[in-house]
């Protein structure tokens, strides 16, 4: 299932000759569907590098529609051209064409992943990235005997792209998954899945490093192994203080490094995942499928009639288990793995995350559609990518007036709230190089849409310095901030009807997307962009663009023309220096 690509230049420079995207037939849940796959498999190939390596990836698109590939959690210093974000840092790789990404690894060490960043194509276009310690160094824990990659995913019925396009055109709810998967398979608790259930063969008395990825499109997932304890030692390619636990909660976009010791009786044990439903507890119609794989001990013993199921796997709406697990994470914060939390903040942002509505007008009708927003701004993709517009000073593509505060203050987590239409726009926030940024995300209950929001920042990692229930109080809550050993991540879930504070230094010049990693919410508009300006030296400035960027499908005239929602506020300023 997995194809590993290793170095051919003694781990100094890695070359990946080809990722080939093709439409393939896959049979799941008794039905055969055509899906876009990479090198013929779902998940796609595992990419293996060492800390500090550079990798070139040539992506050939032989599918039916445009695609980009994002290297999730890879900071790409000074190189936003290869971040792979649709209409943010590039236009799609159109069918029949190819593009070579230069993927630059820097401080990351552990597990990350790559995925399509165009529509919901990542449902089938994704894979793991293993970043081993730099040559001559090792893990901050005893070296495991072996490792296993486990990728959690989603299944949808029918043609997902057609269903998504139709829903967006009509303004109705977006598609919901019909099952979850582990390494591409739903498991033998699902119809027509017994023979294809993923099995992991283990030896008694060994310690394994489990590299866990949540590639599900729109679901936080509980995860557990029957009768086996787990020790989390890293998340998002940063090591953590060890966390001993019987279960995991992992949000879309997150990765975790977990130690598992095979110390139970020889037998078969289910590894299972199920959704944590964080939205309205009165809603019963959501994906209830338990995805499973089997941990199978080697040796001579009587094969059980059925594997043991993890009794410690939390139930779908177990908010208490969610809060307990989230509060366990801390950085190592030692001389080998120090933390550098910004202390003197120069930019503060208070961001409300909300569900809502937006009005569309055409020649014959008016349509009110579902929307999500950050500070009541629902992101609208431009007709060319923001990065090229910024670099070339092309006007009319975006504005630089994304607000630092919401338009109004009210009881964000209450049941009574004002009816507010969301504003559609392509509004970005401009940061100076080395700006020290604090962002406080506030979840709201507008239109009873409260739930977890896994927020992901491209081009940077950040420290999670605080979180809590209810409405953030800027007078008292900062007193509880952890500035000593906060966890460092690239994706973190803002709690249901609560707040979360992060800090980072904007030391990577370029154009960087930030968004909710529930693709439903991102598609409806819960996202925006940071433009980090150049520093004073070449070494602190954006690199020159590659020679053959994918061209935008729209004509040059249309790409330069203002679109609805972009004629207010400040147009593109000549801020590139």
């Amino acid at each position: 299932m997995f194809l590993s690509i290793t170095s051919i230049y003694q781990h100094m420079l890695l070359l990946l000759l080809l990722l080939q995207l093709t439409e393939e037939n896959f049979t799941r849940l008794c039905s055969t569907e055509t899906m876009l796959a990479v090198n013929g498999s779902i998940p796609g190939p595992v990419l293996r590098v060492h800390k500090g390596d550079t990798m070139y990836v040539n992506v050939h698109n032989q599918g039916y529609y445009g695609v980009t590939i994002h290297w999730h959690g890879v900071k790409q210093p000074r190189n936003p051209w290869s971040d792979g974000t649709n209409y943010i840092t590039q236009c799609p790789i159109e069918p029949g064409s190819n593009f070579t990404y230069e993927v630059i690894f820097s401080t990351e060490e552990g597990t990350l992943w790559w995925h399509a960043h165009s529509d919901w194509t990542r449902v089938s276009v994704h894979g793991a990235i293993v970043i081993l310690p730099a040559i001559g160094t090792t893990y901050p824990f005893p070296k495991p005997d072996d490792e296993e990659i486990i990728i959690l995913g989603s299944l949808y019925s029918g043609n997902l792209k057609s269903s998504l396009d139709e829903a967006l055109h009509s303004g109705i709810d977006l598609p919901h998954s019909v099952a979850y998967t582990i390494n591409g398979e739903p498991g033998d608790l699902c119809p027509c899945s017994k023979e294809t259930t993923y099995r992991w063969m283990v030896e008694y008395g060994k310690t394994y490093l489990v590299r866990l990825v949540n590639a599900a499109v729109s679901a936080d997932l509980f995860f557990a192994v029957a009768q086996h304890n787990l020790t989390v030692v890293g998340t998002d390619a940063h090591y953590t203080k060890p966390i001993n636990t019987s279960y995991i909660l992992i949000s879309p976009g997150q990765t975790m490094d977990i130690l598992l010791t095979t110390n139970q009786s020889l037998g078969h044990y289910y590894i299972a995942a199920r959704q944590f439903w964080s939205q309205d507890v009165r809603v019963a119609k959501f994906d209830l499928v338990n995805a499973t794989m089997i941990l199978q001990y080697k040796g001579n013993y009587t094969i059980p009639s059925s594997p043991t199921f993890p009794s410690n796997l939390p139930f779908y709406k177990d908010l208490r288990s969610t809060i307990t697990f989230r509060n366990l994470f801390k950085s190592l914060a030692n001389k080998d793995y120090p933390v550098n939390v910004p202390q003197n903040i120069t930019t503060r942002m208070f961001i409300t995350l909300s569900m809502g509505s937006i009005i569309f007008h055409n020649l014959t009708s008016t349509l009110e559609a579902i929307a999500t927003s950050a500070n009541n701004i629902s992101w609208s993709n431009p007709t060319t990518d923001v990065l090229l517009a910024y670099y070339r000073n092309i006007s009319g593509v975006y504005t630089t007036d994304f607000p630092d505060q919401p338009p109004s203050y009210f009881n964000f987590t209450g049941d009574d709230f004002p009816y507010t239409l969301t504003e559609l726009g392509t509004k970005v926030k401009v940061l100076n190089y080395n700006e020290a940024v604090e962002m406080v995300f506030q979840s709201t209950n507008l239109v009873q849409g409260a739930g977890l929001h896994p927020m992901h920042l491209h081009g940077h990692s950040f420290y999670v310095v605080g979180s809590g229930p209810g409405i953030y109080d800027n007078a008292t809550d900062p007193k509880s901030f952890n500035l000593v050993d906060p966890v460092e991540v690239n994706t973190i879930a803002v709690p249901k009807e609560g707040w979360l504070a992060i800090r980072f230094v904007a030391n990577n010049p370029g154009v960087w997307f930030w968004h909710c990693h529930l693709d439903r919410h991102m598609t409806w508009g819960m996202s925006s962009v940071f433009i980090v300006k150049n520093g004073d030296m070449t070494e602190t400035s954006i690199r020159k663009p590659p020679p053959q960027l994918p061209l935008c499908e729209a004509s040059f005239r249309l790409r330069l023309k203002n679109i609805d929602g972009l004629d207010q506020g400040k147009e593109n300023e000549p801020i590139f220096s």
Side-chain angles (χ1 to χ4, degrees):
M1 177 174 294
F2 294 111
L3 171 65
S4 299
I5 294 93
T6 55
S7 172
I8 62 173
Y9 284 118
Q10 300 298 313
H11 301 294
M12 294 178 63
L13 180 69
L14 276 79
L15 295 180
L16 173 63
L17 298 181
L18 177 66
L19 287 185
Q20 185 165 292
L21 280 67
T22 55
E23 298 285 345
E24 306 286 347
N25 289 330
F26 293 89
T27 300
R28 303 285 189 274
L29 303 179
C30 315
S31 176
T32 299
E33 306 286 354
T34 299
M35 291 184 279
L36 193 64
V38 180
N39 294 4
S41 68
I42 303 174
V46 178
L47 310 183
R48 294 184 182 273
V49 300
H50 282 257
K51 182 179 180 179
D53 281 340
T54 296
M55 177 173 58
Y56 289 89
V57 185
N58 186 226
V59 177
H60 281 245
N61 183 9
Q62 298 180 7
Y64 301 146
Y65 45 88
V67 174
T68 65
I69 302 294
H70 172 56
W71 318 95
H72 186 112
V74 182
K75 296 183 182 72
Q76 296 277 33
R78 303 176 49 228
N79 187 34
W81 306 105
S82 285
D83 189 54
T85 314
N86 204 25
Y87 291 110
I88 308 299
T89 61
Q90 70 171 94
C91 288
I93 306 168
E94 296 297 340
S97 64
N98 71 90
F99 178 64
T100 297
Y101 291 95
E102 181 182 7
V103 187
I104 303 172
F105 296 89
S106 54
T107 61
E108 307 88 358
E109 184 176 335
T111 306
L112 292 174
W113 65 304
W114 57 269
H115 61 83
H117 213 302
S118 37
D119 298 322
W120 289 13
T121 312
R122 75 174 181 86
V123 69
S124 58
V125 177
H126 60 255
I129 302 175
V130 173
I131 309 168
L132 299 169
I135 300 297
T137 66
T138 188
Y139 304 103
F141 47 82
K143 185 178 179 180
D145 297 295
D146 205 347
E147 69 175 41
E148 183 71 12
I149 294 171
I150 298 178
I151 299 181
L152 310 178
S154 309
L155 274 181
Y156 290 78
S157 62
N159 185 312
L160 177 58
K161 188 174 189 310
S162 296
S163 300
L164 178 63
D165 290 345
E166 180 181 354
L168 290 172
H169 180 73
S170 59
I172 61 175
D173 193 11
L174 302 181
H176 290 261
S177 63
V178 296
Y180 298 109
T181 61
I182 300 181
N183 289 349
E185 298 291 343
D188 63 3
L189 300 182
C190 295
C192 307
S193 303
K194 189 174 183 62
E195 299 303 319
T196 58
T197 298
Y198 187 83
R199 291 175 181 265
W200 175 22
M201 304 297 295
V202 300
E203 296 182 30
Y204 179 83
K206 302 289 187 180
T207 296
Y208 294 84
L209 176 58
V210 176
R211 300 183 181 274
L212 182 66
V213 178
N214 185 352
V217 170
S218 291
D220 300 88
L221 294 169
F222 288 121
F223 173 91
V225 183
Q227 298 184 16
H228 291 73
N229 288 324
L230 307 169
T231 302
V232 180
V233 292
T235 182
D236 285 2
H238 292 89
Y239 294 120
T240 65
K241 289 182 171 66
I243 300 169
N244 297 314
T245 181
S246 61
Y247 68 93
I248 300 293
L249 176 69
I250 185 167
S251 290
Q254 287 186 316
T255 61
M256 291 186 190
D257 295 327
I258 304 162
L259 297 178
L260 180 148
T261 299
T262 48
N263 55 8
Q264 297 301 303
S265 301
L266 302 187
H268 293 187
Y269 299 86
Y270 273 130
I271 297 176
R274 66 162 62 115
Q275 181 174 4
F276 167 58
W277 179 257
S278 65
Q279 298 182 49
D280 193 335
V281 294
R282 295 167 295 183
V283 174
K285 187 179 180 181
F286 56 90
D287 191 338
L288 298 170
V289 168
N290 293 297
T292 58
M293 62 177 276
I294 297 172
L295 183 150
Q296 182 172 330
Y297 279 79
K298 298 178 182 178
N300 296 320
Y301 55 91
T302 302
I303 303 299
S305 58
S306 178
T308 304
F309 192 84
S311 59
N312 49 324
L313 184 68
F315 284 96
Y316 306 99
K317 300 179 181 180
D318 188 345
L319 182 59
R320 183 183 298 274
S321 291
T322 299
I323 296 171
T324 299
F325 183 75
R326 294 289 190 199
N327 290 337
L328 297 174
F329 285 81
K330 297 180 185 298
S331 290
L332 284 178
N334 57 31
K335 64 181 180 63
D336 295 321
Y337 301 93
V339 299
N340 187 21
V341 185
Q343 304 290 324
N344 299 314
I345 301 302
T346 55
T347 293
R348 297 182 188 274
M349 302 176 71
F350 181 73
I351 309 294
T352 54
L353 305 173
S354 304
M355 296 282 292
S357 299
I358 198 163
I359 300 294
F360 292 98
H361 301 280
N362 59 33
L363 295 177
T364 59
S365 63
T366 298
L367 173 68
E368 182 171 346
I370 301 171
T372 58
S373 66
N375 280 354
N376 208 47
I377 305 298
S378 186
W379 176 264
S380 175
N381 274 339
T383 53
T384 191
D385 62 279
V386 176
L387 175 58
L388 189 64
Y390 169 62
Y391 192 84
R392 300 297 188 198
N393 283 323
I394 302 172
S395 64
V397 177
Y398 61 86
T399 61
T400 58
D401 56 340
F402 182 86
D404 291 345
Q405 304 285 330
S408 62
Y409 283 77
F410 53 92
N411 184 3
F412 297 122
T413 60
D415 293 328
D416 297 322
F417 40 81
Y419 175 74
T420 305
L421 287 174
T422 297
E423 179 184 349
L424 186 68
T426 310
K427 299 175 182 289
V428 310
K429 171 72 175 178
V430 179
L431 299 171
N432 290 321
Y433 183 79
N434 264 346
E435 195 101 19
V437 183
E438 179 181 285
M439 301 177 73
V440 177
F441 293 104
Q442 174 69 60
S443 178
T444 75
N445 196 31
L446 289 177
V447 295
Q448 296 181 333
L452 295 184
H453 296 294
M455 301 306 294
H456 172 50
L457 173 60
H458 292 218
H460 299 76
S461 57
F462 52 82
Y463 295 102
V464 182
V465 296
S467 67
I471 299 173
Y472 176 72
D473 187 322
N474 63 5
T476 59
D477 284 328
K479 297 177 182 178
S480 66
F481 281 3
N482 176 9
L483 305 180
V484 177
D485 58 356
V487 67
E488 185 176 0
V489 294
N490 61 66
T491 306
I492 192 68
V494 179
K496 173 184 174 72
E497 297 181 344
W499 59 270
L500 181 136
I502 69 171
R503 289 184 177 184
F504 68 96
V505 176
N507 56 7
N508 193 7
V511 171
W512 307 108
F513 200 38
W514 58 268
H515 60 92
C516 181
H517 221 282
L518 296 176
D519 278 20
R520 297 168 58 78
H521 292 173
M522 181 182 71
T523 300
W524 280 328
M526 192 177 286
S527 53
S528 188
V529 164
F530 284 129
I531 293 179
V532 180
K533 298 174 72 172
N534 285 344
D536 296 330
M537 301 178 294
T538 301
E539 294 76 14
T540 58
S541 300
I542 298 177
R543 298 169 58 185
K544 293 182 179 180
Q548 293 182 331
L549 285 169
L551 297 176
C552 292
E553 198 172 33
S555 69
F556 183 74
R557 180 181 61 82
L558 289 176
R559 284 189 283 130
L560 297 184
K561 183 180 179 181
N562 283 333
I563 60 172
D564 288 345
L566 294 185
D567 56 353
Q568 302 295 322
K570 302 176 183 178
E571 283 197 355
N572 303 14
E573 298 176 339
I575 53 181
F576 187 84
S577 59

